[in-house]
């Protein structure tokens, strides 16, 4: 640990000391990161539900996940897949951080899990049971397992945390906003350790149909791995995916006292609203600019010091064009000299989990200098920006990374991390 335990403004410094992930690319961070650097896509034809009548039949599924590796049957039977993924990621994160929560620490440990959709699979199943079998067939756990806070609750009960535990829901910005909320809790002394992240499991018939009818999803059903094309001229929509990521945040003082090795320092968070449209970003990117500018101010830095951007990069016509304009405005000519990549090109859009997974990837870039590619970016919409097309690149001296998350409803969030 280097430097002081406080920032120049008197707030406590916030360290990332561990993380875990469950994604369409793998069931842990190492598997996911290896696949990202290899440019491997986790998108395929959906086979867990009947997609015969759907216009969109592709998605990013978590395949081969075995709940029994992470939780007893009584938990897996009641927990929606999104909560199962979150719990698995939280257990990996704690193991990675060497974090054991004892009775003394427990009251100062919090949990914040973001989700855009929550336990939708359990909700849909409960409705089907009620219709087909009547009210007596409804499980007494239904009111718990169909709640948005069920992932946070499962993590808290499993690990014995006694600080605040709550859900965060801001559509596609949910995971990033959960990280930002946890950062604030530690900065202002409300908690010493916070497990933060996001989770979603919304590759369902209803959600594929709804987003497909909104014309937000790619329809490249015959070529799934080429479907998600962030910043490519021929992009035609995002790909619905599922997964989770959880990070351990600690005050610098607590991390030092525990002997934990920081992976990165979380130095900036900003959030805003477009106040414009439910599914389309503001045409001038006003809300996105506000969020990124707020994160830079919070970090005490400027766009000229950013070395890498993990873009929101969904592969939709409007988002990619708007985000490109925002990066030019906020970063100036710096954006033409640094790598900007979208890992959604490989994972698909994990909605509430996206921001957390992408922050993990950003920290991996800081640690290794290896930058994951934007696959399928064959004809970039802006040839002056290095979108890291098709293949990973190595960039030495990456010290500060920006991770963007922009969601339906005009929710925007930006996170900034610094190497330690």
């Amino acid at each position: 640990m280097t430097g002081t335990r406080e920032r120049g403004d008197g707030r406590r410094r916030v360290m990332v000391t561990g993380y875990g992930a469950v994604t369409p690319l793998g069931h842990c961070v190492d598997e996911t990161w290896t696949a990202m650097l290899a440019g491997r896509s986790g998108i395929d034809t959906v086979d867990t539900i009947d997609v015969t009548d759907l216009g969109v039949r592709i998605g990013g599924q978590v395949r081969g996940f075995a709940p029994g590796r992470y939780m007893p049957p009584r938990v897996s039977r009641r927990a929606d897949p999104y909560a199962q993924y979150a719990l698995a990621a939280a257990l990996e994160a704690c193991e990675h951080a060497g974090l054991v929560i004892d009775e003394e620490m427990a009251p100062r440990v919090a949990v914040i899990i973001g989700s855009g959709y929550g336990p939708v699979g359990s909700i849909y199943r409960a409705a089907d049971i009620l219709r087909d079998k009547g009210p007596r067939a409804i499980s007494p756990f239904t009111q718990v397992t169909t709640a948005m806070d069920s992932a946070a609750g499962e993590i808290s009960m499993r690990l014995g945390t006694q600080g605040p535990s709550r859900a965060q829901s801001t559509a596609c910005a949910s995971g990033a906003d959960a990280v930002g909320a946890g950062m604030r809790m530690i900065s202002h002394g409300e908690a010493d350790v916070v497990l933060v992240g996001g989770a979603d499991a919304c590759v369902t018939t209803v959600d594929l149909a709804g987003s497909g009818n909104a014309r937000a999803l790619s329809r490249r059903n015959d070529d799934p791995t080429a479907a998600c094309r962030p910043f490519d001229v021929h992009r035609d929509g995002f790909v619905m995916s599922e997964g989770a990521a959880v990070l351990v945040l600690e005050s610098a003082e607590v991390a030092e006292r525990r002997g934990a090795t920081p992976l990165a320092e979380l130095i900036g968070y900003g959030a805003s609203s477009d106040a414009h449209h439910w599914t389309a970003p503001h045409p001038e990117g006003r809300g996105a600019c506000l969020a990124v500018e707020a994160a830079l101010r919070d970090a005490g830095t400027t766009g000229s010091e950013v070395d890498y951007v993990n873009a929101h990069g969904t592969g939709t016509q409007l988002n990619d064009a708007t985000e490109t304009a925002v990066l030019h405005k906020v970063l100036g000519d710096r954006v033409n000299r640094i790598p900007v990549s979208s890992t959604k090109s490989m994972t698909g859009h994990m909605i509430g989990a996206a921001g957390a997974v992408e922050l993990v990837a950003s920290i991996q870039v800081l640690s290794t200098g290896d930058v994951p590619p934007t696959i399928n970016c064959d004809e970039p919409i802006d040839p002056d920006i290095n979108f890291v097309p098709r293949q990973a690149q190595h960039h030495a001296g990456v010290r500060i990374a920006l991770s963007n998350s922009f969601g339906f409803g005009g929710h925007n969030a930006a996170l900034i991390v610094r190497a330690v």
Side-chain angles (χ1 to χ4, degrees), residues 53-296:
D53 295 331
L54 298 181
V56 174
R57 299 184 293 278
I58 56 175
Q61 298 173 279
V62 174
R63 297 177 182 275
F65 180 77
R69 291 183 56 193
Y70 310 97
M71 64 202 77
R74 60 182 175 81
V75 175
S76 61
R77 281 196 298 266
R78 73 174 179 237
D80 185 85
Y82 106 104
Q84 295 178 13
Y85 301 155
L87 179 54
L91 293 175
E92 182 191 354
C94 288
E95 181 178 5
H96 188 204
L99 179 66
V100 178
I101 302 168
D102 56 24
E103 290 186 3
E104 181 180 359
M105 177 186 287
R108 300 286 296 169
V109 181
V111 180
I112 307 175
I113 302 298
S115 184
Y117 289 76
V120 288
S122 294
I123 294 171
Y124 301 153
R125 282 191 294 275
D128 288 342
I129 291 170
L130 181 63
R131 179 197 61 212
D132 297 338
K133 299 183 179 180
R136 292 181 63 84
I138 296 293
S139 166
F141 285 106
T142 299
Q143 69 271 28
V144 175
T145 59
T146 59
M148 183 69 79
D149 65 342
S150 58
E154 294 289 359
I155 292 170
S156 177
M157 286 185 284
R158 174 64 178 271
L159 297 175
T161 69
Q162 295 178 343
S165 60
R166 60 185 61 148
Q168 172 81 43
S169 188
T170 48
C172 313
S174 298
D177 276 328
V179 174
M183 176 188 176
R184 292 281 188 265
M185 290 185 74
I186 293 174
S187 294
H188 297 294
E190 298 172 15
D192 293 332
V193 179
V194 189
L195 301 178
V196 298
D200 260 310
C202 46
V203 182
T204 69
T205 305
V206 171
D207 297 302
L208 286 175
S211 293
N213 290 344
R215 306 188 69 79
L217 300 181
S218 171
R219 292 178 176 265
R220 294 176 184 265
N221 294 313
D222 296 331
D223 195 4
T225 61
C228 193
R229 313 182 66 84
F231 305 112
D232 183 73
V233 169
H234 302 291
R235 66 198 183 279
D236 72 328
F238 76 87
V239 176
M240 187 77 78
S241 296
E242 60 186 5
V246 173
L247 301 92
V248 177
L249 306 184
E250 303 185 53
S251 71
E253 179 182 3
V254 169
E256 184 177 15
R257 187 167 65 237
R258 286 202 314 112
T261 300
L263 306 170
E265 181 177 2
L266 186 58
I267 60 173
Y269 164 60
S272 70
S273 298
D274 279 0
H276 170 68
H277 190 274
W278 266 110
T279 57
H282 189 282
E284 298 175 9
R286 290 179 185 174
C289 279
L290 288 173
V292 177
E293 289 167 348
L296 290 168

Side-chain angles (χ1 to χ4, degrees), residues 258-415:
R258 286 202 314 112
T261 300
L263 306 170
E265 181 177 2
L266 186 58
I267 60 173
Y269 164 60
S272 70
S273 298
D274 279 0
H276 170 68
H277 190 274
W278 266 110
T279 57
H282 189 282
E284 298 175 9
R286 290 179 185 174
C289 279
L290 288 173
V292 177
E293 289 167 348
L296 290 168
R297 285 195 304 272
D298 191 43
T301 190
T302 65
S304 64
E305 296 183 283
V306 173
D307 300 309
Y308 168 63
V309 178
N310 188 296
H312 185 55
T314 59
T316 64
Q317 286 288 330
L318 293 178
N319 173 85
D320 291 3
T322 300
E323 186 171 15
T324 300
V326 167
L327 291 176
H328 274 290
K329 179 178 180 180
V330 177
L331 303 185
D333 62 4
R334 180 70 171 172
V335 74
N336 296 331
R337 304 200 304 273
I338 62 173
V340 176
S341 67
S342 171
T343 47
K344 285 187 182 73
S345 61
M346 295 168 283
T347 64
H349 194 344
M350 292 177 284
I351 313 299
V357 171
E358 289 155 15
L359 182 62
V360 170
S362 298
I363 295 172
Q364 290 286 93
V365 172
L366 296 181
S367 301
T368 66
D370 294 325
V371 179
T374 307
I375 67 170
N376 305 318
C377 188
D378 299 327
E379 190 176 342
I381 60 175
D382 187 334
D384 293 329
I385 294 180
N386 175 14
F387 290 115
V388 196
R390 298 182 295 280
Q391 293 184 334
Q393 300 173 1
H394 184 78
H395 289 260
V398 178
R399 297 287 300 168
I400 294 178
L402 164 67
S403 181
N404 290 332
S405 296
F406 310 137
F408 281 178
H411 302 292
N412 306 294
L415 297 167

Side-chain angles (χ1 to χ4, degrees), residues 5-23:
R5 297 171 178 175
E6 293 185 351
R7 296 161 46 120
D9 55 12
R11 290 186 290 163
R12 298 198 298 175
R13 295 173 66 195
V14 180
M15 302 295 170
V16 180
T17 58
Y19 38 54
V22 176
T23 76

